[in-house]
Amino acid sequence: AGGIHTPNHRWVVCAALAQVNELFPDPACVRRIDQWLAEGIDIDADGQYTERSTLVYNVAVDRALVVMAAKLRRPELLEPVRRNLEAMLYLLHPGEEVVTEISRRQDQYERGDIGRYWFPLRYLAAHDRDGRFAALADRAAPRYARLPDLMEYPELAEPGPAHSPVPEDYEREFPAVGIGRIRRGQTSATLILGGSSRFLTLRRGEAVVNAVRFASAFFGKGQFIPDEAGKRNGSYVFTQSLSGDYMQPLDPARRIGPRDWAAGRAERRRSEVCRLEQRATVTELAHGFRVRLQAHGADDVPVAVEINLREGGKLEGCEPAPRVADGWLLAGRQARCRVGNDEIRFGPGLCLHRYTQVRMAEPKLAGPSVYLTGYTPLDHTLVFEWD
């Protein structure tokens, strides 16, 4: 009789009912499950459920569907699990950390590894004899295997198939989700093709660039969030078109109250219309990435580029940014971020002003941020490289 709040609750409730029905058979439990299943499993063409929550709710849905498939003897319910796990093979960084930029829930930009998927990985490895799933599940088992699961599902404890390599060299687009993924061994990059200021994240081993983004001081609306993005001629191109104007007195003139300003905006004549076109072009290189940043239209508009790094690394080649905690300016030729034996170098620098916290732009990200600053018209190319 109970209801739900979020998409994944449907399948968690159904899994609970399937377990109840196994112990205390009741046609009402199965009828209720079938009511929810009649809506269809909410998985898209890229193998992601509605919430796209790669650390939390993917795991919950995969587990629930496996439980239902086993308890109700409906192997067809394993198909969405299979599709989701197949997609996750291409959403892994070095060290099997999971890509979380696509999440619509609280795990967005959080850190976690594929081990959270141990139960569905191990079950599908046994059911499908899939060596890729077996390899990931077995590596995760010391931390994530649970004794109750091993007791309830004996097949999880049986010898699995021989391990097969997990993909580590590919370029793959996820059009339904809106990202591109590039993996070259210890190199991993995610290109976010819509709706986010963090259009690029990349890493080389343990050296991580959490985000590359930029903003212009243009009418309080200059945060670069692409209107359009896609791959063209071997590069990923992100574009944004902005306009701003000034308002004239009401005509015919009339008195307005202190709370009527917003309501009257549409009636005012606009003048001095300004436009700004912003663009980022990301190209993979043999040992890194080239990022060309452009902003043109209205002239002499301050621009600030933010390169946010994962904490814990050693940063060289920068100077402290004034009045910005953990903020740095790159005025020289190149910066270096080193974590253990891994290093990312990026530059050349640009420091024409010190206005890094642009009005109405998104606030600085947590951790060290390196800034490049200039004015429109801007056309600056950064290179991220490693050995």
Side-chain angles (χ1 to χ4, degrees):
I4 54 97
H5 292 101
T6 62
N8 73 84
H9 286 180
R10 295 173 294 174
W11 317 129
V12 176
V13 166
C14 287
L17 289 170
Q19 291 171 303
V20 169
N21 183 69
E22 182 183 48
L23 296 173
F24 308 102
D26 185 343
C29 289
V30 180
R31 284 197 300 270
R32 184 61 161 169
I33 291 170
D34 287 337
Q35 275 188 295
W36 288 118
L37 287 175
E39 299 183 1
I41 306 299
D42 55 319
I43 192 165
D44 66 21
D46 286 338
Q48 294 299 314
Y49 303 111
T50 299
E51 294 163 298
R52 303 192 330 202
S53 171
T54 50
L55 280 183
V56 180
Y57 296 110
N58 273 10
V59 178
V61 174
D62 282 349
R63 181 183 182 87
L65 292 174
V66 168
V67 169
M68 282 193 281
K71 303 302 184 186
L72 301 174
R73 295 179 175 82
R74 297 184 185 181
E76 66 273 14
L77 292 175
L78 295 177
E79 178 56 22
V81 182
R82 191 176 291 115
R83 288 176 54 198
N84 178 249
L85 295 180
E86 178 74 32
M88 292 306 302
L89 295 176
Y90 298 90
L91 293 171
L92 296 179
H93 298 301
E96 294 166 6
E97 185 177 319
V98 171
V99 171
T100 60
E101 289 92 329
I102 65 174
S103 177
R104 291 173 168 153
R105 294 300 301 271
Q106 69 270 22
D107 56 332
Q108 187 181 48
Y109 306 126
E110 295 296 318
R111 301 178 207 166
D113 61 54
I114 194 66
R116 300 187 187 193
Y117 291 79
W118 174 81
F119 177 75
L121 282 168
R122 192 68 190 84
Y123 193 94
L124 265 293
H127 187 276
D128 292 357
R129 309 306 294 173
D130 191 309
R132 302 166 304 167
F133 297 164
L136 290 173
D138 289 349
R139 289 199 285 269
R143 288 186 59 200
Y144 291 97
R146 295 171 46 188
L147 182 58
D149 289 334
L150 294 167
M151 295 174 67
E152 187 170 1
Y153 302 90
E155 59 266 55
L156 300 181
E158 295 174 359
H163 291 182
S164 298
V166 175
E168 291 187 354
D169 188 357
Y170 58 83
E171 180 175 358
R172 178 165 175 163
E173 291 187 56
F174 290 78
V177 174
I179 64 167
R181 284 280 301 140
I182 298 175
R183 180 76 188 274
R184 310 295 181 202
Q186 290 299 300
T187 299
S188 179
T190 305
L191 300 110
I192 303 171
L193 303 179
S196 175
S197 63
R198 309 185 192 199
F199 62 89
L200 173 66
T201 71
L202 60 92
R203 63 186 65 197
R204 175 67 177 177
E206 295 184 6
V208 178
V209 175
N210 288 325
V212 179
R213 60 184 193 166
F214 71 98
S216 302
F218 182 77
F219 289 84
K221 59 174 75 173
Q223 180 70 59
F224 181 63
I225 300 176
D227 302 322
E228 296 182 3
K231 193 170 184 184
R232 305 175 198 166
N233 301 319
S235 298
Y236 289 87
V237 181
F238 307 80
T239 59
Q240 180 189 43
S241 297
L242 298 171
S243 66
D245 51 36
Y246 295 85
M247 293 180 287
Q248 297 298 319
L250 289 170
D251 187 11
R254 74 172 192 272
R255 184 177 297 279
I256 62 172
R259 297 185 180 181
D260 296 335
W261 169 260
R265 286 173 63 96
E267 301 177 36
R268 297 177 182 275
R269 186 174 66 85
R270 304 303 174 101
S271 63
E272 292 81 47
V273 177
C274 302
R275 304 190 187 282
L276 188 68
E277 302 291 327
Q278 303 194 121
R279 175 186 296 255
T281 305
V282 181
T283 307
E284 184 184 10
L285 306 175
H287 298 283
F289 289 87
R290 181 173 63 242
V291 181
R292 184 182 182 186
L293 304 173
Q294 297 170 281
H296 63 88
D299 291 343
D300 301 317
V301 178
V303 182
V305 180
E306 180 182 13
I307 301 166
N308 181 257
L309 306 168
R310 179 169 290 184
E311 67 278 4
K314 182 179 180 181
L315 181 62
E316 300 175 355
C318 301
E319 61 185 69
R323 299 181 298 280
V324 181
D326 222 356
W328 306 85
L329 292 169
L330 178 54
R333 179 65 188 167
Q334 194 174 64
R336 295 171 179 261
C337 176
R338 184 180 298 111
V339 181
N341 295 323
D342 298 312
E343 180 183 84
I344 296 178
R345 302 182 296 275
F346 55 93
L350 183 67
C351 187
L352 301 184
H353 61 78
R354 294 173 178 262
Y355 181 28
T356 60
Q357 308 306 297
V358 174
R359 186 179 76 87
M360 300 298 288
E362 295 177 5
K364 175 188 177 298
L365 296 171
S369 287
V370 178
Y371 292 94
L372 286 74
T373 59
Y375 295 93
T376 59
L378 177 80
D379 190 342
H380 188 78
T381 298
L382 278 165
V383 175
F384 295 85
E385 63 182 1
W386 39 80
D387 297 326

